[in-house]
Amino acid sequence: MFLTNQDVVELTEWRRALHRHPEISGEEAWTAQTAQALLASSGADRIVGGLGGHGVAGIFEGREPGSTVMFRAELDALPIEEISQAPHRSSIPGKAHLCGHDGHMAILAALARGLSRQRPQRGRAILLFQPAEETGAGAAAVVADPKFREIAPDFVFALHNLPGMKFGKVALIEGPVSCASRGMRIVLTGKTAHASMPETGLSPMNSLAHLMPALTGLGSGGPMDQSFAMVTVTHARIGEPAFGIAPAHGEIWATLRTLTDAGMDGLVAKAERLARDAAHASGLSVEISYNDIFCHCENAPEAVAHLRHALDAEGVPHDRGDLPMRPSEDFGHLGANAPAAMFFLGAGEHHAALHNPDYDFPDDLIGIGARVFMRTLRDLLG
């Protein structure tokens, strides 16, 4: 173990300070400054800020030429009220680190501490603190940033803690590990009428009533194979809260989910056809837009092999777990041009679930995650 007991104490307090000051996607200015200060105090040879928004990358140079290996953590919290009596609970109403990104950042902070004492023998180690993972926008924005070309990796690795799995155990597979998903918003517009004469208007009521079961009927889950598809209606509304008006406006929000990006293309086409046909049948206009777009995450075999070797060397138990998983992650964008792999680190079988108001990252995972990453780093860079 490359961390001392004092390191663990200080990293835990650093994580809890992040937890007390959560910032949601696109607002991570203070969190980014905190990460940048940590990298500076660790002696990073170069720090690149403003990556895809508030992203920060710390570069640690080796003595000899070699590969560029990147490790990624996320900056953002969630717009959810925390329920906790912990001294380090969120100090910002309606916002909290309820996914563990504060813990993931602490694991990268542990790597920075180790690299401050022993640089890689060759190549470059890059610690990326990525913004806006929760909206699906952050990784794509980082990759699109011209500054990313200067730090483009040959390998990229990440982890995510996973409640419901035995503490300290790892789930890891090759191929797809998390789903593609996107939020679809369908807006239907007709013509208002007096509620006593609804026949003189154009109401979206029938179209909405048809679309909710029709959309969910496009995919109800099933085995996590190439045919997996799921549509979840998350929001719907019609008209105004008044008794005297037959409505002209209606909208429905749905999350589309498939195992792969290729599957998403087909599901989108079917959902759009349903929406347009329903609008046409009632004489309505229709607008379709998308938010929170996530591509699927694909673990490259060569990157997985490096992680498996590190897990075995560190004595961390691992298997395929329940992978692939239904939730989405934007890490897939970072692996578009380099072999990439993400593993999932058990937070405990009875631990509060991700995005729950009583969730908190287990501090004892910091050392485990850091050991696996550091072993991977040393195997590749010396």
Side-chain angles (χ1 to χ4, degrees), residues 39-321:
L39 291 167
S41 68
S42 300
D45 296 297
R46 185 180 168 207
I47 299 172
V48 181
L51 271 169
H54 294 299
V56 177
I59 304 169
F60 294 82
E61 299 279 358
R63 295 185 297 275
E64 304 168 7
S67 300
T68 295
V69 180
M70 178 179 286
F71 298 86
R72 170 272 212 168
E74 316 93 318
L75 292 165
D76 52 339
L78 288 158
I80 302 174
E81 186 76 26
E82 183 175 15
I83 300 173
S84 173
Q85 297 302 314
H88 62 274
R89 64 186 175 273
S90 173
S91 64
I92 303 176
K95 299 178 183 180
H97 272 293
L98 301 176
C99 199
H101 294 178
D102 51 344
H104 303 166
M105 285 187 277
I107 290 170
L108 258 59
L111 285 188
R113 187 159 293 201
L115 289 167
S116 73
R117 296 166 182 158
Q118 183 184 350
R119 287 293 195 275
Q121 180 177 333
R122 57 190 174 273
R124 299 186 299 173
I126 297 182
L127 308 183
L128 173 65
F129 294 82
Q130 179 211 300
E133 186 280 327
E134 294 291 353
T135 63
V142 166
V143 172
D145 192 313
K147 294 189 290 292
F148 187 76
R149 299 191 198 110
E150 305 169 24
I151 59 171
D154 297 301
F155 283 97
V156 57
F157 299 98
L159 63 76
H160 207 295
N161 77 96
L162 190 59
M165 190 166 71
K166 185 177 180 180
F167 184 88
K169 183 179 178 181
V170 162
L172 175 65
I173 60 169
E174 300 174 1
V177 293
S178 64
C179 284
S181 70
R182 64 177 58 199
M184 180 184 196
R185 183 187 180 200
I186 302 167
V187 178
L188 302 168
T189 304
K191 178 184 176 184
T192 59
H194 194 284
S196 68
M197 296 181 289
E199 69 277 7
T200 64
L202 288 173
S203 171
M205 179 189 68
N206 287 334
S207 293
L208 278 182
H210 167 74
L211 277 173
M212 284 191 277
L215 284 169
T216 57
L218 292 176
S220 56
M224 294 298 292
D225 57 23
Q226 295 295 320
S227 65
F228 173 83
M230 174 177 282
V231 181
T232 306
V233 173
T234 61
H235 173 73
R237 75 182 186 91
I238 184 171
E240 304 301 328
F243 292 109
I245 306 169
H249 175 92
E251 60 183 81
I252 183 169
W253 296 19
T255 301
L256 313 184
R257 194 176 306 275
T258 58
L259 182 63
T260 65
D261 298 333
M264 178 59 68
D265 293 340
L267 185 59
V268 165
K270 292 177 183 177
E272 289 191 357
R273 190 178 308 115
L274 274 178
R276 299 190 193 284
D277 288 349
H280 179 75
S282 297
L284 305 167
S285 65
V286 59
E287 294 180 7
I288 299 171
S289 59
Y290 295 95
N291 293 278
D292 292 13
I293 299 173
F294 292 82
C295 63
H296 86 271
C297 290
E298 183 90 10
N299 274 359
E302 56 266 52
V304 169
H306 287 297
L307 286 177
R308 284 181 175 146
H309 182 270
L311 290 164
D312 290 339
E314 292 297 325
V316 178
H318 61 94
D319 57 26
R320 68 173 295 115

Side-chain angles (χ1 to χ4, degrees), residues 1-11 113 117:
M1 182 59 172
F2 66 94
L3 298 173
T4 67
N5 289 338
Q6 186 61 33
D7 288 335
V8 173
V9 170
E10 292 173 1
L11 289 165
R113 187 159 293 201
R117 296 166 182 158

